[in-house]
Amino acid sequence: MPMWAQAMFWGTLAGGALVLGAWLSWKWTIPAKLVSSIMAFGAGVLISALAFELVDEAVQGGGLWPTVAGFLAGAVVYVSANALLARSGAKHRKRSGGKQPSEKDSPGSGTAIAVGALLDGIPESVVLGLGLITAGSVSPAMLAAVFISNVPEGLSSTAGMKKAGRSAGYVFGVWGGIALLCGGASLLGFIALDNAPGEAVAFITAVAAGGILAMLADTMIPEAFEEHHNLTGLVAAVGFLSAFTIHHVGAGG
């Protein structure tokens, strides 16, 4: 399979985890504490992937200052875009506890939620395409981290969509469309930076990393603590260690 096709395939597969999470949430009513625990696990997984798969490798491949600049740029861009979407009703797009507004309560919020969900997924997908440039193959640890974290994202957000009265057509149309666009984002990351200097690849990788960390703080971590219980921190730690272990096994120990 050509490299560009691999980039699109892996990005779509990782994005498809959102559809899987949505289906689980639509089919069954999942207890709020379990939703929060799953989200905490996903947050721990992504934090580990940021540290060992993105930021560290960006520094090694392109140097400290391109990585620092890219990380800050990614965080600023994400936070700015997220603030705009929050004003349109997408602030609680990953919340499962009935905080999402209905279209009747907040006209246009459905579109804002869809755009916000896409905003959350793009950075993760881009780095999958970049991994094919830097390593010649998709990183098993990064793929696992994105897939594992996307399941609770789709699950939690869909629970909130159900409570807000969104239709099945809307819910699965959003997640199915985002899965396809995630594949496109991964392809774009590969095509745009193929044969680019190491500094440029490091900068864009760090942009994605900064956006992912900002997304975690703004959307996933609040949901992880929505139904707080004594094991929340432990579950996040297990998620971190799971991704860390996959990273080291994939790297040959």
Side-chain angles (χ1 to χ4, degrees):
M1 183 185 295
M3 296 289 279
W4 65 265
Q6 290 185 45
M8 190 168 187
F9 172 78
W10 292 120
T12 304
L13 178 66
L18 293 165
V19 181
L20 173 61
W23 179 78
L24 292 171
S25 185
W26 194 266
K27 188 171 180 63
W28 293 287
T29 300
I30 300 174
K33 284 191 175 182
L34 180 57
V35 173
S36 293
S37 295
I38 295 172
M39 191 64 90
F41 182 86
V45 164
L46 275 183
I47 291 170
S48 179
L50 284 174
F52 300 105
E53 289 290 321
L54 298 183
V55 176
D56 185 56
E57 292 188 7
V59 171
Q60 292 181 24
L64 175 63
W65 297 116
T67 302
V68 170
F71 195 90
L72 288 175
V76 169
V77 169
Y78 179 88
V79 169
S80 300
N82 193 51
L84 292 174
L85 289 168
R87 296 176 184 175
S88 300
K91 181 177 181 180
H92 300 298
R93 59 185 176 274
K94 282 193 173 67
R95 308 302 288 274
S96 61
K99 293 186 177 182
Q100 287 189 30
S102 65
E103 194 67 23
K104 181 179 178 181
D105 295 333
S106 180
S109 59
T111 300
I113 288 171
V115 173
L118 178 60
L119 174 69
D120 298 339
I122 284 177
E124 302 168 354
S125 303
V126 168
V127 297
L128 293 176
L130 291 176
L132 289 167
I133 295 173
T134 57
S137 63
V138 71
S139 164
M142 193 64 212
L143 178 64
V146 174
F147 191 94
I148 291 169
S149 64
N150 275 349
V151 172
E153 286 185 47
L155 189 152
S156 179
S157 185
T158 298
M161 290 176 179
K162 283 176 65 178
K163 291 180 179 178
R166 308 284 180 190
S167 68
Y170 169 84
V171 170
F172 290 101
V174 165
W175 296 124
I178 289 173
L180 293 176
L181 289 171
C182 283
S186 182
L187 174 62
L188 181 62
F190 174 78
I191 292 176
L193 290 170
D194 193 18
N195 298 318
E199 291 81 2
V201 175
F203 179 83
I204 298 302
T205 300
V207 166
I212 292 170
L213 183 59
M215 179 273 290
L216 281 167
D218 282 351
T219 63
M220 288 187 72
I221 291 174
E223 175 61 22
F225 284 91
E226 176 71 17
E227 291 289 334
H228 179 66
H229 54 84
N230 292 334
L231 297 180
T232 301
L234 178 60
V235 170
V238 171
F240 182 96
L241 286 174
S242 298
F244 179 74
T245 301
I246 293 171
H247 168 77
H248 277 272
V249 170

